[in-house]
Structure formats: structure tokens, C-alpha cells
Amino acid sequence: MKSLTPFYDPSISYEDNYAQGPFGLFKQLDKAQQVPTKSSKFLNVEVNLPFGQPAGPLLNANYIKAAFAYGFDLCVYKTVRTKLHKCHPLPNVLSVHPNDKLSSNLDTVLADTNYNQPLSITNSFGVPSFSPDVWQPDMADAVKSAGHGQCVIGSFQGTQSNGEIENDYALAAKLVKETNAPILEANLSCPNEGASKLLCFDIDKVERIVNAIKTAVPDRPLILKLAYFPDDERIVSLLTRVGSIIDGLSAINTLSAKPVDAKGNPALGENRKEGGVCGDAIRWAGLDMVSRLAKYRKQMDLKFAIVGVGGVSSSEHYHQFIKNGADAVMSATGAMWNPLLAIEIKKSL
Ligand SMILES: Cc1cc2nc3c(=O)[nH]c(=O)nc-3n(C[C@H](O)[C@H](O)[C@H](O)COP(=O)(O)O)c2cc1C
């Protein structure tokens, strides 16, 4: 497996990556090559290949333009909010070394800066956002930069302290729509204030949020970004309540773990004992979630699209997700360390 210079530099701050990045090949757009493909339809858009990058690695329009140049045809603009929200201090990204695959039970994992393949990382940013007056024109620029068969998906989330959470989600959706993003994605795999640890597990709240977004922006397809659901019961409950209202589900976000340094101390700092893990160690969970979503989609006669995410770093992984029922596939960690991934997948077809 290739280990190229990552286009996001984990050794410097998020703000510096935002201002100076992307790095490596993503800075050299003349090295990109076009690989022709047979186009297909994803939701309301025609895409060259239903493959791209999920919310996170593509911080702004400069990153999106590079990703489009290197053939990532579905590019999610990193999650934005209705107000400025600061990033956690460094470290934001560390390499993690689980023995095999990570469980969904908050495993303790060694974390350091040895970015060996097959790569898994912890990411801990706190979902930062600039204020809308900064991100709206930038997202609009990213939307305009899409070539033929390419599309920007605008990711957003509400913030607990900004009043009723569903109203803040609806406002964020409206602000994203104003940038002309053709598809919206609501990140629901974030912390919740109630008894359910993540928002997407709080089905009553999810239903309120989905209704508020669809009322505010009825004319754009809506994808929900989900975490890994260990139990089928909650998947069925979610699909029963919103399965016919939403247009797509993207799964999965990271699995939570406790990253520790060689001495056993919290690697992200004393006040961040837990971090989300993504990359190779969570692919089993992404594949499992996609096949269960596909199974219930069929059983319940629903039509939503499935975006498969989690540990994709090769064309073989892309094909596994498609086989399990994904309509589109995305890679964050794999793509960050291999900007040629989309080109490689297109060549494998
Ligand atoms: C650097 C980084 C930042 C991320 N930021 C976000 C985010 O803002 N919103 C979101 O929904 N997911 C975010 N994610 C999660 C990814 O979208 C994805 O669900 C997860 O990393 C699993 O995919 P992977 O194994 O290919 O990395 C982020 C991931 C990474 C690596």
C-alpha cells in the first residue's frame, strides 16, 4: 500500500492546514490525470463514479478543487455550523495501533505519530466552523468548481447552545442551501445532551431535526450522517420514523476509543480521554452497517441511497462496499494518505 505525503498535515494546527493546505500531490494539480468512466446517477446528480470523500478532510474550496482534479467525484465540504466554533488544540490527529479491528466498546489503543500502513487514526477536532460570512462564499466557490459528473455535498450540524437544536439544524440547512450545494448532509453522529450518547441514537430528536430541515429546505436531497448502530432495533426504529422522508444515509462516522501514549496516559490530553477512530480498524463496522441498512431498506420497501464509509483505502474495499449495498462510497483516512485513490479505483473498473 502506498504512503504518500498526506494532503492534511497532522503536525500543524487546523487553522494552518486551512490557510496553507492542501499539501503533497493535492498542491500539484498538473500531476492529476483524468480516467474516463461510465457515469451513473446518485440522488439528483450525474456522477462519473459514485466515489469521493466524506465530511472532514476537505476543509475548504482549495481542498475540494484539488479533490475534484484527482477524480474524487463526490466531495463533502467539512461540516459547518451557524456560528463560529473553535477547534480543539493540537493534537487533532494521531496514528493508532489496535491489534486487529477496533470493537465498538470503547477500546484502549496505543496512539503515536508513526503513520504506518494499514493506517488507522484518531481524530479530535470538536467539529470547528468559521462563521457563515466566511464559509458561505467559500462553499459557493467550491460548488461552482465541480466539473462534469462531480458534485459538492454540504455538511452541517446544529449546536446545542444555540437554542432548540432542531431550529439550529434548520438554519444551518438554509445557509448551506444559499451556497447552491445540490445535496445537503446533516451530521447526526455528534454528542447529544440527553440519555443517548450520540444524537443519531436519540430517535425522537432525529425525527424533530429531520422534519425541521425538510420544512426549511424542502427542495434539496437530505443525507443523514450516522454512527455505527450496534443493535438492529434502533436501525428499524430510525427507518420507521424518517426512512421515507430522508433521501440518503451515510455510515459510518468514527468508532469511539481511548487513545493512550506509551506510558498509558491519555494521548489527546487529560481533558480528552476519548477520541474517534477511523481508517483500517473500523472497515468491518462500516461494511456491517451498510449491509444492515441495505437489508432493512429492502424489507421496509424504502428508497433512500446508502453512502458507505469506513476504512476504504483500496479499490477492493470500494467494491466490497458496493457489494454490501452502498450506492456511493467515500474515504477520509485512506484518501488523506493516498490522494491517488480515486484514480486507482477508476483504473480498476
Ligand atoms: C480529519 C477528519 C475530520 C473529520 N471531520 C468530520 C466532520 O467534520 N463531520 C463528519 O460528519 N465527519 C467527520 N469525519 C469522519 C469522516 O467523515 C468518516 O466518517 C470517518 O473518518 C470514517 O471514514 P474513514 O475510515 O475513511 O476515515 C472526519 C474524519 C477525519 C479523518
Side-chain angles (χ1 to χ4, degrees), residues 8 54-57 78-79 93 121 123 125 127-128 155 157 185 187 189 225 252-254 277-280 282 309-312 330-336:
Y8 181 97
K78 185 165 167 58
T79 309
V93 173
I121 61 172
N123 84 71
F125 290 84
V127 195
S155 167
Q157 71 180 57
E185 180 176 290
N187 181 18
S189 39
K225 177 77 175 286
I252 58 171
N253 208 309
T254 55
V277 168
C278 44
D280 198 71
I282 69 159
V309 191
V312 174
M330 295 186 181
S331 168
T333 309
M336 282 164 82

Side-chain angles (χ1 to χ4, degrees), residues 108-120:
T108 297
V109 282
L110 175 68
D112 57 27
T113 52
N114 299 321
Y115 295 93
N116 311 324
Q117 297 286 353
L119 184 63
S120 301

